[in-house]
Amino acid sequence: MTYTVSGGIARLVSDYRPRVPIFAFTPNPSTYQALAVYWGVVPVLFTVSSPTATASSSTSTGSS
């Protein structure tokens, strides 16, 4: 499992052709598409969220 913005780590690991799938988490749609053609790489596109943003919004709505 890797986190990658550009896809470099997933491509590097793919060269070794491991027996297990390489899950490459990326917030970049173009990297997601590019990684789909590499051997053993399963790209996963996700949206970056800020844990402090959700904590501050729940705090501000919960207080009187």
Side-chain angles (χ1 to χ4, degrees):
M1 183 178 345
T2 65
Y3 169 79
T4 182
V5 175
S6 64
I9 295 296
R11 287 191 297 264
L12 180 67
V13 174
S14 176
D15 287 342
Y16 291 98
R17 299 194 183 260
R19 294 180 185 209
V20 296
I22 304 160
F23 291 96
F25 292 85
T26 182
N28 190 341
S30 61
T31 301
Y32 172 82
Q33 291 177 351
L35 288 175
V37 298
Y38 283 92
W39 188 90
V41 177
V42 179
V44 179
L45 186 63
F46 72 97
T47 304
V48 178
S49 64
S50 172
T52 56
T54 56
S56 63
S57 66
S58 64
T59 306
S60 64
T61 59
S63 62
S64 298

